[in-house]
Amino acid sequence: MSLASAINDRLDRMMHRLMVNRQAGDTAPGRVRLQTLVLLRWIAIVGQLLALLFVHFGLGFTLPLVPSLLVVGVSTLLNIALFLIYPTAKRLSEQGATGYLAFDLVQLGALLYLTGGVENPFALLVLVPVTISATILSLRSTVLLGLLAFCIAGLLAVWHQPLPWSEPRLILPHAYQAGVFVALVLGMLFIAAYAWQVAEEARRMSDALAAAQMALAREQQVSALGGLAAAAAHELGSPLGTIAVVAKELSREVEADDPIAEDIALLLSEAQRCRDILARISRRPSDEADDEAFADLGIANLLTMAAEPWRRSGVDFRVRLKQEGVPPSLPRRPEIVQGLSNLFQNAMEFAHGAVTAEVDWDQTSLRLDILDDGPGINVDILSALGEPYTTSRPESGGMGLGVFISMNLLRRSGASVGFSNRSGGGARVRVNWPLPLSAPGQVARVAPQSGSGTLAP
């Protein structure tokens, strides 16, 4: 085999490996797509090339062009290698993304060293990798990249090649360079802290909303199970009736002292038992029309049903209508039942001896006040109520999602939720539905209330 053939064979096998890797799925968990960072690096590479060529040829400033292009070339080759080796859907782990951004910082530091250090107006670009880390990575990774950027900026303030300039050469005072270094550090701290805080709040809100969706889906599955049970009862009614009729005919033909008479009697009793069970199930809604009728329990019964799982001895629960007449109908939707149930759970846990549900209404709204005689809402978290992971009892394992979920579920029905402390002690939770209620599945636009938020679950 000739040398050329051997080289071609080697290249073919290498390209085959690269293409297999590109097509392979990437199932490892990751924080960010590699393609996103590669695209950002391509933008940086193009910007660096344009800036170098414009300054050297357009402005006529003498640059160490070859070393600078070599630094940019290293970044270009790495991008090409990543594109060839990894599939498009590749997601980087926390460590991988941190290393990727650290390389960008080192590459930018090397380029700035050749072109004036902190005297270069583009020195502010050291903020970019740290800001990207603050939006997609953990606080630990962001702090590590921030320390690396701090070290690079400090070194560039002391050691760097002269700033490209026309004669006579511009020499900036050391005090100015120190000021640029301080400005870079302060800007990096502020921007990174702000970006991380905003991104963290968005991540927490996304996780909490996912938990709310899971709670609603679970409640909807329970409701659907009731409908399936009613349908099964309806279908089983006919064959069970046939079994009962045949068993009765057999009992008439069998003598009382016959050995199988006792078995037939047992069969009849068990068939009757099954019919009684199916009769109870059949009284539940089995179609849409029955569902709508069954959904209107009356607001007092609905509130009692939502509070029942959390009632405990020593705590009295009652529903009080604040005016005469029939209150507006509150449908038995999963989001309403689950949302109110979570609110009653909090009230029952904190109450000393009584929980009261007060109902009031007028032509435009239906109002529900859940009152307890407990210690009230901690003033330290009162202003943060409504945010996920807000709890006054983290030591007990509470995650602070209970009432956050309740608020989001009730908002799906068009309600607004507010929290406050009662003047005589205890907490007040007010749920307000504008009339008429929004259709099922429709989320009404409700103006935010002051003081609304999350009780400790």
Side-chain angles (χ1 to χ4, degrees), residues 146-168:
L147 291 175
L148 177 61
F150 174 82
C151 294
I152 290 174
L155 291 174
L156 291 175
V158 179
W159 294 290
H160 56 81
Q161 297 295 325
L163 178 68
W165 203 260
S166 58
E167 297 296 339

Side-chain angles (χ1 to χ4, degrees), residues 109-189:
L111 194 60
L112 289 173
Y113 168 79
L114 296 171
T115 56
V118 295
E119 300 177 13
N120 191 321
F122 292 101
L124 61 88
L125 291 178
V126 298
L127 304 177
V128 175
V130 182
T131 304
I132 294 175
S133 172
T135 59
I136 60 176
L137 300 181
S138 65
L139 180 61
R140 178 177 177 273
S141 298
T142 302
V143 170
L144 291 176
L145 288 171
L147 291 175
L148 177 61
F150 174 82
C151 294
I152 290 174
L155 291 174
L156 291 175
V158 179
W159 294 290
H160 56 81
Q161 297 295 325
L163 178 68
W165 203 260
S166 58
E167 297 296 339
R169 186 174 298 278
L170 178 65
I171 300 178
L172 296 174
H174 293 296
Y176 177 81
Q177 298 183 42
V180 173
F181 168 71
V182 172
L184 286 175
V185 172
L186 293 180
M188 179 177 59
L189 290 175

